[in-house]
């Protein structure tokens, strides 16, 4: 559902925009129309291999037991930007940025960046809407755009994600037994979806296969994110990041900002009280 106004926060019209051979407008149109799209061969092994290496070696993980899974057979590592620099460049990928901007606008932030690994024997996740965290009545304009990059091949057997096409526009909860489509995709492909789409991870019915993916959720800049990058990524680390990535962590001017200043300025000079601020007696003496 599009925001029907000329607000700078509105989704960007990506009609006829092509980046590196990918028709961005067509992919965005699919997300708006059916709630999701799959882009095949989105990432090359050269980009993915170092990220996989980081997931296997340097990134600490936890067993997550929620959203219907209590088995401990799902490994996750949330809050990736506080743990590794391995995905920084990917977050700025022009095709990725353009699709997200087409769905929820260009002023957005990382809501969640997590590695998912669904191990053999994991149950099917409950169908759910990722934007259900925010108590905003439906229908509402799109404010969340998520993507899941397949590191392993996603197959019916190892639990490829279930989606319920078009359900992002529905206002009532779905029956958990509703017919769904399992999105099979090869390693390097990516599934983008609108936050209101009913979906869930599938059962991993294999005895020995992992299903690893990288999940990146984007939220409009004016709502509070689920993972708090502003708190979790140390300021000295953020200071060294490219400007666009700093914004993606949530360093946006908004409302009063930091004593009227852009939070990015405070990141660089450390001043959180406006430099011109003086006690009342100073201003009285000038009147
Ligand atoms: O495992 C998947 O394919 C999807 C997981 C998911 O939707 C979630 O954890 O919110
Ligand atoms: Fe989900």
């Amino acid at each position: 559902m599009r925001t029907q106004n000329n607000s700078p926060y509105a989704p960007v019209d990506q009609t006829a925009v092509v980046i590196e051979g990918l028709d961005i407008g067509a992919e965005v149109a699919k997300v708006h129309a059916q709630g999701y799209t799959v882009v095949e061969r989105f990432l090359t092994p050269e980009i993915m291999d170092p990220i996989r290496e980081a997931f296997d070696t340097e990134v600490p993980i936890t067993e997550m037991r929620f959203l219907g899974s209590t088995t401990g057979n799902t490994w996750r590592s949330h809050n990736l930007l506080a743990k590794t620099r391995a995905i920084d460049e990917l977050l700025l990928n022009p095709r990725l940025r353009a699709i997200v901007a087409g769905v929820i606008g260009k002023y957005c932030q990382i809501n969640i960046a997590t590695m998912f690994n669904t191990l053999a024997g994991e149950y099917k996740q409950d169908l759910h809407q990722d934007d259900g965290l925010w108590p905003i009545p439906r229908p509402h304009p799109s404010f969340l755009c998520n993507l899941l990059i397949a590191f392993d091949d996603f197959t019916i057997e190892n639990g490829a994600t279930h989606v319920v096409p078009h359900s992002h526009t529905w206002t009532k909860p779905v029956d958990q037994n509703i017919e769904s489509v399992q999105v099979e995709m090869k390693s390097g492909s990516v599934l983008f979806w609108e936050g209101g789409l009913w979906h869930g991870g599938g059962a991993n019915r294999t005895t020995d296969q992992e299903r690893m993916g990288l999940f990146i959720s984007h939220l409009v800049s004016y709502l509070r994110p689920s993972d708090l990058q502003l708190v979790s990524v140390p300021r000295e680390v953020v200071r060294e990041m490219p400007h666009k990535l700093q914004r993606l962590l949530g360093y946006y001017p908004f409302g009063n900002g930091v004593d009227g200043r852009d939070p990015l300025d405070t990141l660089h000079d450390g001043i959180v009280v406006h430099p011109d601020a003086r006690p009342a007696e100073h201003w009285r003496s000038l009147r």
Side-chain angles (χ1 to χ4, degrees):
M1 222 169 307
R2 290 161 198 264
T3 312
Q4 300 292 342
N5 60 30
N6 296 322
S7 157
Y9 294 104
V12 177
D13 182 358
Q14 303 289 38
T15 311
V17 172
V18 176
I19 303 180
E20 290 160 27
L22 181 67
D23 186 337
I24 302 295
E27 302 302 336
V28 170
K30 277 188 231 165
V31 178
H32 284 308
Q34 65 176 12
Y36 70 99
T37 189
V38 178
V39 184
E40 283 168 11
R41 290 181 292 278
F42 190 71
L43 296 185
T44 59
E46 292 72 55
I47 295 177
M48 295 173 69
D49 288 350
I51 300 177
R52 183 187 277 276
E53 172 73 17
F55 288 164
D56 282 340
T57 57
E58 80 180 77
V59 169
I61 58 175
T62 48
E63 289 177 351
M64 293 294 254
R65 296 167 199 261
F66 74 136
L67 282 170
S69 168
T70 51
T71 62
N73 284 333
T74 296
W75 287 346
R76 294 214 184 172
S77 187
H78 272 254
N79 208 8
L80 278 175
L81 287 154
K83 299 175 179 169
T84 178
R85 302 276 52 86
I87 63 164
D88 288 5
E89 205 176 323
L90 170 60
L91 294 173
L92 301 175
N93 177 295
R95 301 194 302 176
L96 186 159
R97 294 261 49 87
I99 294 176
V100 174
V103 179
I104 58 169
K106 63 182 170 188
Y107 296 115
C108 60
Q109 60 187 320
I110 306 294
N111 175 51
I112 298 176
T114 180
M115 183 273 284
F116 282 173
N117 197 351
T118 311
L119 309 181
E122 182 57 298
Y123 298 144
K124 180 172 184 280
Q125 208 179 36
D126 292 346
L127 293 173
H128 60 276
Q129 294 168 299
D130 288 337
D131 70 5
L133 181 63
W134 294 265
I136 300 177
R138 300 174 198 281
H140 55 60
S142 299
F143 62 79
L144 192 73
C145 178
N146 292 347
L147 61 101
L148 180 55
I149 301 169
F151 273 66
D152 297 314
D153 292 348
F154 281 24
T155 65
I156 304 288
E157 299 72 39
N158 74 9
T161 317
H162 292 256
V163 298
V164 181
H166 307 287
S167 59
H168 62 307
T169 60
W170 300 351
T171 52
K172 300 263 166 12
V174 300
D175 185 313
Q176 284 295 325
N177 297 316
I178 191 171
E179 200 178 318
S180 59
V181 175
Q182 260 187 289
V183 180
E184 289 190 274
M185 51 183 183
K186 292 277 182 216
S187 172
S189 302
V190 56
L191 167 66
F192 285 85
W193 69 97
E194 202 273 354
L197 187 78
W198 286 87
H199 70 284
N204 186 335
R205 297 206 174 81
T206 71
T207 52
D208 56 358
Q209 284 178 33
E210 298 185 4
R211 180 176 67 95
M212 188 163 85
L214 170 60
F215 175 75
I216 304 170
S217 170
H218 291 86
L219 177 70
V220 288
S221 63
Y222 54 84
L223 291 177
R224 181 183 171 90
S226 169
D227 287 0
L228 301 176
Q229 269 87 207
L230 287 181
V231 174
S232 62
V233 186
R235 287 165 76 83
E236 50 283 9
V237 173
V238 181
R239 220 177 273 138
E240 302 306 317
M241 289 178 169
H243 173 82
K244 281 190 180 159
L245 192 54
Q246 294 170 330
R247 291 288 193 220
L248 281 172
L249 291 184
Y251 285 81
Y252 275 105
F254 189 67
N256 297 322
V258 184
D259 208 0
R261 305 177 76 215
D262 183 329
L264 267 193
D265 295 343
T266 73
L267 189 65
H268 293 293
D269 63 25
I271 299 172
V272 293
V273 176
H274 197 287
D276 297 336
R278 300 283 184 279
E281 59 186 18
H282 165 83
W283 297 110
R284 277 200 197 98
S285 72
L286 296 180
R287 286 170 78 93

